[in-house]
Amino acid sequence: MELTMKQFKLIFVLAAVIGLAACQSKVEYGDATEVETVNENFGSTDLQAIAAKMVDSMMTFPPIVAMTANNRPILFVDSIKNKTSEHIDTESVTDTISNKLLRSGKFRFIDMTKVDAVRKQLDYQNNTGMVDPSTAIKFGRQIGAQYMLYGNLSSIVKQDGSTKDVYYKMTMRLMDLETGLIEWSDEKEIRKTKSKSFLGL
């Protein structure tokens, strides 16, 4: 039995619809702490590992334990410097470390990223004549940070044929702003290797 042109077109359209339906993507929620293995680039698992390592190291370092025993030192966190060849959201790394330290209850923080916004608000309250002077926050009453937390993220990438090796190193330091002394320092290393199969996958 021969197919007519009309029947052939109908079968073709149905096959195309079925093919498109089979190729539709599906979005699912996953565990945010699950190990990420999509590729060898810096990812969420690396961020979590680095943040956990740095916070644990700092919180258990004997001089820091003594420093925070009866006091909550005031820190400001400088943005992590990205010295890798990748585009990495180091602000996210900085935020995660800051949040973990703040939630420990051992430190207080000054957010240096909002200094300009705070200055504008204080200027508005004190100099525009639109705010009741008895309720305006005065200039010069903010508390200065005692310590600065800062760090670098670097990488070394090597490739040999079908194998690519990526080595990451995060280094962080805590500086006493009055003396310039480094009160704590540590580093976290991560190595990731990707090998392609003979099919190039």
Side-chain angles (χ1 to χ4, degrees):
M1 173 181 163
E2 291 186 8
L3 295 175
T4 65
M5 184 58 73
K6 195 172 186 179
Q7 289 173 320
F8 181 78
K9 286 182 179 178
L10 179 61
I11 292 172
F12 179 79
V13 169
L14 286 174
V17 170
I18 293 171
L20 286 173
C23 293
Q24 285 182 344
S25 62
K26 181 180 179 183
V27 176
E28 295 180 359
Y29 283 98
D31 182 356
T33 61
E34 186 177 348
V35 175
E36 177 193 25
T37 57
V38 174
N39 57 42
E40 73 281 7
N41 295 335
F42 190 89
S44 61
T45 300
D46 306 314
L47 186 156
Q48 293 162 0
I50 281 175
K53 155 75 175 177
M54 290 303 176
V55 172
D56 182 62
S57 171
M58 187 169 160
M59 295 295 297
T60 57
F61 188 54
I64 302 299
V65 172
M67 178 195 302
T68 58
N70 300 303
N71 188 30
R72 293 179 67 203
I74 302 169
L75 311 181
F76 88 86
V77 183
D78 195 20
S79 296
I80 303 296
K81 301 295 185 294
N82 179 11
K83 294 188 173 182
T84 73
S85 58
E86 294 178 44
H87 172 71
I88 296 175
D89 183 6
T90 52
E91 184 177 348
S92 183
V93 181
T94 305
D95 287 345
T96 300
I97 292 171
S98 299
N99 287 340
K100 286 180 177 293
L101 287 172
L102 184 61
R103 289 178 62 83
S104 73
K106 298 291 186 179
F107 298 93
R108 291 176 291 172
F109 285 84
I110 291 174
D111 189 350
M112 295 302 294
T113 66
K114 298 302 177 184
V115 169
D116 287 339
V118 171
R119 186 183 293 114
K120 287 178 182 177
Q121 176 57 210
L122 292 181
D123 184 61
Y124 166 78
Q125 291 188 25
N126 288 278
N127 300 320
T128 62
M130 299 180 69
V131 176
D132 183 344
S134 66
T135 65
I137 304 299
K138 305 302 180 188
F139 280 102
R141 294 188 178 178
Q142 291 191 11
I143 297 174
Q146 300 164 284
Y147 299 92
M148 177 174 71
L149 185 64
Y150 62 100
N152 299 311
L153 178 61
S154 59
S155 69
I156 299 173
V157 180
K158 291 188 176 182
Q159 187 151 2
D160 182 14
S162 61
T163 301
K164 185 177 182 181
D165 181 86
V166 185
Y167 166 84
Y168 294 101
K169 183 171 78 169
M170 166 75 90
T171 303
M172 293 201 74
R173 294 184 175 92
L174 181 70
M175 177 191 288
D176 184 322
L177 291 176
E178 183 176 10
T179 65
L181 293 173
I182 304 300
E183 298 289 351
W184 165 85
S185 180
D186 204 351
E187 60 186 29
K188 166 70 176 177
E189 299 171 303
I190 295 173
R191 168 163 266 118
K192 303 171 84 172
T193 303
K194 180 179 181 180
S195 298
K196 292 183 180 179
S197 69
F198 72 98
L199 294 175
L201 302 175

